[in-house]
Amino acid sequence: MIKKFIHQFASPKTYLYQVDRFYSYIFLFSIITYIISITWGLLYTPEDFVQGNSYRIIYLHVPASFLSQSLYIAMAISSVTYLIWRVKLAAYLVIAIAPIGAMTTFIALISGSIWGIPTWGTWWQWDARITSTLILFIMYLGLISLHNSFSNHEKADKLLSWLVIVGAINIPIIKKSVDWWSTLHQSASITLTDKPSIDPVMLYPLIGSITGFFGLVICLVLLSSKYQIFIREKNKSWVKDYV
Amino acid sequence: MFRLELLKLRKKTRSWLGPILVFWLIMLAYPLTVEFLQDKLEIGFFSVLWIAILISMMLATEDIFTEDFNDGSLEQTLIKNLSFSISIVTKIFTYWLLIGLPISILSFIFSLGTTEDFLLSISIFPLAIISSYIFLNLFVLGNALSLNKGSVLGALVTMPLALPVLIVLGKGLIAIQLNINFLSFIFLLLGSLSIIIVVIPVVVSYVIKAHLE
């Protein structure tokens, strides 16, 4: 049943037309949500008692950190889908997500460094959370270079998928690093099981900025996957008709 | 299968002796870069030791599959009824036996020579044994991924996976020095190794199959 569902809805042609149908709605919703949330967070929320105004970088840092890990999980799911059900689109998604994952991880690292100066008094610490995030960034770069080193796309897709699956071990390490090691980085303020430790006045714009950023990154993934489809399916007649 | 792998590796003297000599040279070169005061030597010794093990394991796996890939041995193993994963496990174990184990013994000797602390050095030995096996497995994966593309690419893509092991080794060492529960770190590494021993050969066998298809 899963196989039937995947094959029915995951052909590159169907995907491309579905993306065109929903892209503008997702983009509009995301950009409006992000602009409202970030304006609310930057201008209308009160100063933090301890950190002053510097905490406002959470409206960029938290969504970027969240997305850097979520995108890797998406890549791992796509890799499993590709290796088990041989869905071409899943392989295209893996390589489409990789550069965007690298970009969000880079934003998370840089924004974290900027936040580190007023909060910790240093740009960088070899703290477990920061180091494991840096490892994630290097992983993304490694995945991109591995894929680019093979001219045979099918072979590159398979190798990339295996490496993504093995590298997924880093995600629980990043997530739990603040609990397993005594780190400078604070533990999670928002969890699925406990009440958020962040004040609702700051929490609502944060949720909005995560949603908006998430939507914008989804838009980037959609564009990047469209590009992959064009590159890989360029000889197909339907692509020529589409273009 | 094990005997064949052992024979093949023994004949390639450069492949197994090279990494051991590199490890030896790094450890010998280390005191030259710091003042010959006992406490100064001890400060960075273990960091250099872990990095030297990492680099030696990286060099050890440099051509682990290249020859077999070029002469068709890998294809033959694949079409035989033998389990491909088991042959990978055997290969990794042989490499570890001829390279990883001597390096672990050398780690103990160098540690004893530098720190003059037998108990500390004997605690380093299991850490070196386990970490060398983990590093070997990771770099084997890297080499399988970048087969025919040079070992540098393989090392680059799998090196990030080795970094958490280095962190645990660092923490384990602090635990040994402070005489707190360092066994938990050994068990943590053993747990990781038990997963890696099973997962990596299976993944490597699929990766090599992808290369051969």
Side-chain angles (χ1 to χ4, degrees):
Chain A
M1 193 176 146
I2 299 171
K3 195 177 174 182
K4 193 182 167 190
F5 174 82
I6 289 173
H7 279 280
Q8 196 175 351
F9 292 97
S11 86
K13 186 181 175 183
T14 318
Y15 175 79
L16 207 60
Y17 284 102
Q18 293 297 333
V19 165
D20 286 347
R21 214 171 126 197
F22 294 110
Y23 178 81
S24 46
Y25 299 113
I26 299 172
F27 181 75
L28 272 175
F29 169 76
S30 311
I31 196 97
I32 292 168
T33 311
Y34 194 64
I35 288 171
I36 291 172
S37 308
I38 210 141
T39 315
W40 183 5
L42 292 179
L43 303 177
Y44 300 106
T45 53
E47 263 185 43
D48 182 72
F49 175 66
V50 181
Q51 298 183 41
N53 278 319
S54 69
Y55 89 93
R56 292 182 205 275
I57 204 164
I58 56 167
Y59 300 112
L60 177 66
H61 177 71
V62 174
S65 307
F66 173 71
L67 259 296
S68 64
Q69 294 165 52
S70 308
L71 287 175
Y72 199 95
I73 295 169
M75 280 172 72
I77 294 169
S78 297
S79 298
V80 171
T81 310
Y82 174 63
L83 290 171
I84 295 176
W85 291 291
R86 304 273 165 197
V87 178
K88 275 191 296 181
L89 183 66
Y92 300 166
L93 277 173
V94 176
I95 191 58
I97 293 171
I100 298 157
M103 186 195 74
T104 51
T105 314
F106 185 71
I107 294 171
L109 286 168
I110 293 294
S111 56
S113 282
I114 295 167
W115 196 5
I117 277 289
T119 325
W120 301 335
T122 178
W123 292 97
W124 188 264
Q125 269 288 316
W126 291 102
D127 162 284
R129 170 60 69 87
I130 306 168
T131 310
S132 51
T133 308
L134 178 68
I135 292 169
L136 181 68
F137 178 62
I138 303 168
M139 276 296 296
Y140 275 122
L141 297 185
L143 293 168
I144 298 165
S145 38
L146 180 77
H147 196 272
N148 290 345
S149 66
F150 288 92
S151 50
N152 180 339
H153 287 307
E154 206 175 318
K155 188 195 268 188
D157 290 340
K158 276 185 192 168
L159 301 179
L160 186 71
S161 302
W162 280 113
L163 185 58
V164 168
I165 292 167
V166 174
I169 188 70
N170 193 30
I171 299 300
I173 293 176
I174 298 175
K175 180 81 188 111
K176 300 302 280 182
S177 58
V178 285
D179 304 322
W180 290 343
W181 289 282
S182 53
T183 58
L184 200 56
H185 195 286
Q186 66 179 73
S187 52
S189 306
I190 309 166
T191 57
L192 288 172
T193 47
D194 297 322
K195 202 180 162 203
S197 58
I198 183 169
D199 193 277
V201 181
M202 298 163 180
L203 179 67
Y204 297 135
L206 180 62
I207 291 171
S209 65
I210 293 172
T211 313
F213 197 82
F214 187 85
L216 289 173
V217 168
I218 293 287
C219 289
L220 276 177
V221 170
L222 294 177
L223 288 178
S224 176
S225 57
K226 267 179 85 172
Y227 172 73
Q228 284 298 323
I229 292 172
F230 287 144
I231 295 283
R232 306 283 281 274
E233 308 267 329
K234 62 185 172 195
N235 295 326
K236 299 275 171 68
S237 58
W238 68 265
V239 173
K240 286 170 187 164
D241 295 341
Y242 177 86
V243 175
Chain B
M1 203 188 290
F2 172 67
R3 278 186 181 178
L4 178 70
E5 288 296 337
L6 199 63
L7 189 71
K8 273 160 65 178
L9 185 58
R10 270 179 58 200
K11 281 191 172 180
K12 293 192 283 181
T13 315
R14 192 180 63 86
S15 295
W16 64 268
L17 194 58
I20 298 173
L21 288 177
V22 167
F23 176 80
W24 187 293
L25 284 171
I26 295 173
M27 298 317 294
L28 284 179
Y30 167 66
L32 305 175
T33 61
V34 285
E35 286 182 55
F36 277 91
L37 293 170
Q38 188 65 26
D39 56 335
K40 295 251 168 112
L41 271 177
E42 282 180 32
I43 289 171
F45 171 77
F46 291 103
S47 309
V48 176
L49 181 75
W50 306 136
I51 303 290
I53 294 176
L54 184 80
I55 291 172
S56 309
M57 291 300 117
M58 196 168 85
L59 288 173
T61 55
E62 203 179 10
D63 58 350
I64 190 163
F65 297 118
T66 318
E67 204 174 284
D68 289 350
F69 182 72
N70 291 335
D71 69 11
S73 306
L74 281 176
E75 272 175 308
Q76 276 196 338
T77 317
L78 191 65
I79 52 176
K80 275 183 193 170
N81 284 329
L82 297 165
S83 163
F84 200 44
S85 309
I86 298 292
S87 69
I88 304 288
V89 172
T90 315
K91 205 175 201 36
I92 296 172
F93 180 72
T94 315
Y95 269 69
W96 177 78
L97 203 63
L98 252 70
I99 305 164
L101 192 59
I103 283 176
S104 304
I105 296 167
L106 282 174
S107 304
F108 164 72
I109 295 168
F110 278 112
S111 171
L112 191 61
T114 310
T115 61
E116 294 172 2
D117 184 340
F118 183 77
L119 282 175
L120 174 67
S121 305
I122 205 79
S123 313
I124 290 299
F125 186 59
L127 287 177
I129 283 186
I130 301 167
S131 59
S132 61
Y133 211 120
I134 292 177
F135 292 149
L136 196 65
N137 272 277
L138 292 176
F139 289 124
V140 163
L141 172 68
N143 270 276
L145 285 165
S146 65
L147 201 64
N148 273 357
K149 294 282 173 192
S151 57
V152 178
L153 176 69
L156 275 176
V157 295
T158 45
M159 184 77 90
L161 298 172
L163 298 182
V165 181
L166 286 176
I167 296 172
V168 175
L169 287 172
K171 301 273 179 190
L173 187 74
I174 292 168
I176 293 169
Q177 284 170 332
L178 297 176
N179 206 16
I180 49 178
N181 189 15
F182 73 91
L183 279 176
S184 60
F185 290 98
I186 293 181
F187 285 127
L188 179 62
L189 284 174
L190 271 175
S192 312
L193 179 65
S194 59
I195 297 168
I196 284 171
I197 278 181
V198 178
V199 174
I200 297 286
V202 175
V203 174
V204 167
S205 64
Y206 277 108
V207 166
I208 291 175
K209 277 177 195 168
H211 277 289
L212 294 172
E213 272 166 8

